[in-house]
Amino acid sequence: MNVTIATFPAIYLRQVLGALALTPVLFSPSVLALTTIGAGETKNIDSTTAPDTYLVENGGVLNTSGANTHEVFVQSGSTLNVVGGTFTGGSGSSASPGITVTNSQGTITGALISGNFAGMAVNREAGTTTGSTVTVANSSITGGTSGVLVTGASTLQLINTQVTGTGSTSTGINYFGGNVSAVGSTITGGATGITMSPDTQGVGADTNRLVLDSTRVQGLTGAAINVGDGLDANIDILNGSTLIGGNGNILEVQGASTANVNVANSALTGNVDVTGNSTANLSFDGAHMTGDFNVEAGSTGNLALANGSVFTGSLNNVDGVTINSGSNWNMTANNTVGTLAMNNGTVTMGQGSNFYQLNVGTLAGNGTFAMNVDFATNQHDVLNVTGASSGDFKLLVAGSGVDPVSPEALTLVHTASGNANFALAGTGLVDVGTYSYGLGSSSNGSGGTDWFLDPNKKTVSPSTQSVLALFNTAPTVWYGELYSLRTRMGELRFNDGQSGSWARAYGNKYNVSESSGVGYSQNQQGFSLGADAPLPMGDGHWLIGALAGHSNSDLSLKGGTTGNVKSYYVGGYTTWLEPETGYYFDGVVKLNRFENESKVAMSDGTQSKGNYGTTGIGGSAEFGRHIKLDNDFFVEPFGQLSAVTIQGKNYNLDNGLQAEGDQTRSFLGKVGATVGRNLTLDSGTVVQPYLRAAVAHEFAKNNEVKVNNTVFNNDLSGSRSEFGAGVAVKLSKDLQVHADFDYANGKSIEQPFGANVGLRYNW
């Protein structure tokens, strides 16, 4: 049935739908012929149907499939089902949307919808309290003034749909109440992405909601979202949604409006502006925002961060801030907030060359303030609590390897009243070059407390400890490598001066006490290879040999600081045995290359590194006698002198600490005895178990190390007792094996265990 219907009058458009109730049957000078589908009627159209204008009313149903047509008006409880096709609204004075749904429902998939004024309207009849429900999927909607109009009590769901306002002052969605959700969609306006105002008749005021899920909203010259005219809006920004404002604002709240915004699993960039006695409550759940939150005087702003959320920017005149569950506020300027409540949250203040002051009216809870301090200039961040304070808080101060030019007490926190407690994070110290400082406090006379870095509470810093330990380690590395060579004496007595080759694998642990200058533990593993041949000279048996090997030593210091020394060495040795008298001489010369690396666990949780290489050379001479006793027992007293010197070196850690090591020297004397027995088995195998005891004394006392021009002395001097047990086995004429285990303890160093195993093959 063909009838005529008036389209939207011009004054109606200028007032943005007047009372916000789109009524398709209105009178204007321009009329269109249309087809009406009434009560009990269903009409199907497709791509073969000529373009027309349709009015669906009183429960009628219009089904379209690939149709290309003009305006469609759906009202009075009717239904529209669309699959594909185009819907073109009026132009000029006939400015109807491509699709208008009033107190009805529609399902639209894969359509192109456009209008000179609005692309689509989801609408209610004036005077009614129920709106329309429309779902649009995989479609495109464009309009000159707005892409979509939505009124109170209506519901619009967008799925993978693009909505665009094409005019320079347009908005993507013109929202007048209702419930709008967009999933995987894009909403763009020439000025504002989404403009939100209340339904003028107050319909559905308690259900005003906008949900953006994996959706992009952009205002090309204005804000992404504008809330105004006294609207109370609930906005959810979820799952990777983004907001882009051409004027830098992602959200504007104006005209005594309220916006309750929940951001989850999304990252936003831009500012939030609250003006005109309005309120914005921003809640972040596992989300990020970079920008400023600006609240005009007379308006209200609150920020809540939870579950690892991060806000980077300034909070200007924000009333309340809550930072919970691993969330972080990164400050970018001096700020003042009314209340700050924390529960395992962090405020990161200045960084680099920036130093900020945070003024807080009331502080409560527990959390961390990451503060920036330049110890060279004594510039630093300040937390100033002007009202009551309570709770327990940590101060995380970035450490440095540079010594302060003029050490002084730096006040980091001032509280006016209350019982809040502050402590330094981590170890309770701040690394300041050579030393680490503690935190002091004092009453400020106004009922509050000042908390300051106290240069009088200082200990040697982890960086310095790492330097001292590395310079101290080379002698124990060298002796650990050398010690495994002595055990070959039992093997040599089995071979009657034959040529041979041998291999050793060894491991040692050393605990060095604080009395040496720095305390640490050292774990060493390595191997040695060698070969020797007899020399036809003098009495007895002379052997001359060459050796090479590698060891790796891991250092552990308190607080998680570690070091590593990789040692590569070559050397030569000579041994003399006099079988008849039992006298023997053993001499070794060894050249080492040490590759040293330190990894410092600093007080602020960061790591500093440094590395350098040095060369060392040393030798050992041992003289003793093998005395045979009854029943194949023997005793072997011996004396040994060893000396090593390691090249001095200057190097820096990457935190700025400068280290200068003098030559490291060691001169060790040792006397002792070995007791054992040779057991010959029925198979001909000879087993030689033995026990050993000795006293060693380190004579070198002064190995200076300079850290940032402060001189320290590494000192391993003193005596220690050594005990060992082992066995050497002659398996055949040409093959011998051994195992050896050791323990030592003294003034500055303990060796809880040492072990080496090896074999020798004669030819």
Side-chain angles (χ1 to χ4, degrees):
M1 177 177 68
N2 292 326
V3 298
T4 60
I5 182 168
T7 59
F8 297 110
I11 187 170
Y12 186 67
L13 303 180
R14 288 196 300 270
Q15 295 177 351
V16 193
L17 307 183
L20 308 182
L22 292 176
T23 308
V25 185
L26 294 174
F27 294 98
S28 79
S30 176
V31 296
L32 293 172
L34 54 77
T35 297
T36 300
I37 301 102
E41 294 182 321
T42 298
K43 186 173 182 61
N44 301 314
I45 63 175
D46 57 24
S47 60
T48 64
T49 306
D52 201 351
T53 300
Y54 294 91
L55 171 63
V56 187
E57 61 182 355
N58 301 322
V61 177
L62 175 61
N63 299 316
T64 78
S65 179
N68 299 303
T69 189
H70 301 308
E71 302 103 310
V72 172
F73 302 96
V74 185
Q75 63 184 37
S76 307
S78 300
T79 300
L80 173 66
N81 297 310
V82 175
V83 178
T86 61
F87 298 82
T88 306
S91 60
S93 61
S94 176
S96 305
I99 295 176
T100 301
V101 181
T102 305
N103 291 88
S104 297
Q105 55 275 337
T107 302
I108 302 168
T109 302
L112 300 177
I113 307 166
S114 62
N116 187 57
F117 173 61
M120 183 173 70
V122 182
N123 184 44
R124 70 175 182 83
E125 187 78 28
T128 65
T129 58
T130 59
S132 300
T133 299
V134 176
T135 299
V136 183
N138 304 311
S139 298
S140 174
I141 307 172
T142 59
T145 302
S146 60
V148 176
L149 291 164
V150 182
T151 66
S154 294
T155 297
L156 171 64
Q157 183 179 22
L158 302 173
I159 303 171
N160 298 323
T161 291
Q162 182 174 334
V163 177
T164 307
T166 58
S168 61
T169 60
S170 66
T171 184
I173 294 179
N174 209 344
Y175 171 102
F176 298 97
N179 191 328
V180 175
S181 65
V183 180
S185 298
T186 300
I187 302 166
T188 306
T192 305
I194 300 175
T195 300
M196 304 182 70
S197 299
D199 185 290
T200 58
Q201 295 178 344
V203 175
D206 58 342
T207 59
N208 295 325
R209 182 168 293 278
L210 170 65
V211 179
L212 305 174
D213 189 334
S214 307
T215 291
R216 181 176 184 266
V217 178
Q218 181 174 11
L220 295 180
T221 60
I225 300 174
N226 179 281
V227 179
D229 299 327
L231 176 69
D232 287 344
N234 298 301
I235 302 172
D236 294 325
I237 303 170
L238 312 174
N239 301 322
S241 292
T242 57
L243 305 179
I244 302 172
N247 63 355
N249 295 334
I250 58 176
L251 174 65
E252 294 174 347
V253 187
Q254 305 170 340
S257 300
T258 297
N260 299 310
V261 183
N262 172 49
V263 185
N265 302 316
S266 297
L268 306 180
T269 301
N271 302 325
V272 175
D273 271 8
V274 187
T275 59
N277 298 313
S278 298
T279 298
N281 300 311
L282 306 183
S283 298
F284 288 77
D285 185 352
H288 293 211
M289 176 176 165
T290 300
D292 297 337
F293 188 1
N294 302 310
V295 181
E296 184 183 65
S299 295
T300 301
N302 294 290
L303 173 68
L305 305 176
N307 297 323
S309 295
V310 178
F311 182 92
T312 301
S314 286
L315 302 178
N316 298 312
N317 200 34
V318 172
D319 294 81
V321 180
T322 303
I323 307 175
N324 294 337
S325 51
S327 298
N328 192 2
W329 170 25
N330 294 316
M331 293 175 56
T332 56
N334 296 329
N335 281 144
T336 299
V337 299
T339 63
L340 175 58
M342 302 174 69
N343 184 5
N344 192 32
T346 299
V347 177
T348 300
M349 301 179 70
Q351 299 183 65
S353 60
N354 297 316
F355 305 92
Y356 300 132
Q357 178 165 321
L358 174 59
N359 301 308
V360 178
T362 302
L363 175 66
N366 65 85
T368 300
F369 292 90
M371 310 186 81
N372 188 26
V373 177
D374 185 340
F375 296 100
T377 63
N378 289 329
Q379 292 177 284
H380 58 92
D381 293 334
V382 175
L383 171 63
N384 179 36
V385 184
T386 59
S389 62
S390 62
D392 294 294
F393 300 92
K394 299 294 185 182
L395 304 180
L396 179 60
V397 180
S400 171
V402 180
D403 284 358
V405 175
S406 178
E408 63 182 61
L410 304 179
T411 300
L412 303 181
V413 179
H414 169 86
T415 63
S417 63
N419 59 0
N421 183 66
F422 293 86
L424 292 172
T427 62
L429 298 168
V430 176
D431 298 341
V432 190
T434 306
Y435 296 100
S436 297
Y437 293 170
L439 189 68
S441 64
S442 63
S443 174
N444 55 31
S446 63
T449 304
D450 290 340
W451 303 82
F452 54 90
L453 288 180
D454 189 352
N456 294 318
K457 294 182 177 181
K458 67 180 182 180
T459 61
V460 176
S461 70
S463 298
T464 301
Q465 293 179 39
S466 174
V467 167
L468 296 177
L470 277 183
F471 281 126
N472 210 24
T473 301
T476 54
V477 171
W478 195 87
Y479 284 122
E481 296 165 348
L482 178 70
Y483 195 70
S484 68
L485 300 180
R486 190 198 179 282
T487 58
R488 75 182 187 283
M489 295 304 300
E491 297 175 359
L492 294 178
R493 294 191 185 89
F494 291 145
N495 66 23
D496 296 325
Q498 292 178 270
S499 299
S501 59
W502 52 269
R504 300 282 186 274
Y506 53 89
N508 299 292
K509 179 178 177 64
Y510 301 98
N511 293 325
V512 178
S513 70
E514 297 280 355
S515 64
S516 70
V518 60
Y520 61 91
S521 65
Q522 173 189 342
N523 287 289
Q524 180 186 36
Q525 304 85 36
F527 67 89
S528 297
L529 304 173
D532 47 49
L535 289 176
M537 55 181 286
D539 296 330
H541 302 308
W542 280 93
L543 287 175
I544 188 170
L547 63 96
H550 166 68
S551 73
N552 184 82
S553 295
D554 292 317
L555 277 64
S556 297
L557 290 82
K558 61 184 179 181
T561 294
T562 62
N564 178 260
V565 180
K566 297 186 186 306
S567 171
Y568 305 88
Y569 54 91
V570 295
Y573 62 90
T574 183
T575 298
W576 170 72
L577 292 171
E578 171 43 64
E580 293 184 6
T581 63
Y583 288 107
Y584 71 88
F585 170 79
D586 191 25
V588 179
V589 175
K590 187 159 67 74
L591 176 68
N592 283 63
R593 177 63 180 178
F594 302 102
E595 298 295 339
N596 307 274
E597 181 182 24
S598 60
K599 297 180 180 179
V600 181
M602 298 185 65
S603 58
D604 59 2
T606 62
Q607 187 181 81
S608 179
K609 297 180 180 180
N611 61 80
Y612 64 97
T614 55
T615 301
I617 189 169
S620 169
E622 179 179 325
F623 183 78
R625 184 181 183 188
H626 183 81
I627 303 172
K628 295 180 180 180
L629 304 176
D630 294 340
N631 298 318
D632 293 325
F633 282 96
F634 67 87
V635 62
E636 191 173 274
F638 68 90
Q640 183 186 46
L641 291 176
S642 302
V644 60
T645 182
I646 291 92
Q647 171 190 12
K649 192 72 173 184
N650 299 345
Y651 82 106
N652 298 336
L653 297 182
D654 57 13
N655 63 7
L657 184 133
Q658 299 177 343
E660 180 180 345
D662 198 359
Q663 280 191 345
T664 301
R665 295 168 293 274
S666 172
F667 184 59
L668 187 71
K670 185 185 300 185
V671 293
T674 301
V675 177
R677 185 182 185 187
N678 293 324
L679 301 174
T680 302
L681 306 181
D682 293 341
S683 62
T685 299
V686 179
V687 179
Q688 185 189 86
Y690 55 87
L691 298 174
R692 181 175 55 255
V695 175
H697 185 83
E698 173 62 69
F699 294 94
K701 295 183 178 181
N702 189 22
N703 290 310
E704 287 190 354
V705 179
K706 185 181 292 185
V707 179
N708 288 350
N709 295 319
T710 298
V711 177
F712 295 86
N713 180 35
N714 279 335
D715 184 2
L716 288 175
S717 65
S719 299
R720 61 178 179 263
S721 300
E722 298 181 351
F723 304 94
V727 61
V729 181
K730 181 179 181 181
L731 297 174
S732 67
K733 175 183 176 183
D734 298 322
L735 182 63
Q736 297 95 44
V737 297
H738 88 274
D740 191 84
F741 305 93
D742 300 283
Y743 170 81
N745 196 4
K747 171 188 171 185
S748 299
I749 187 170
E750 177 194 18
Q751 183 183 16
F753 72 84
N756 74 86
V757 295
L759 60 85
R760 176 183 177 85
Y761 183 77
N762 300 319
W763 62 79

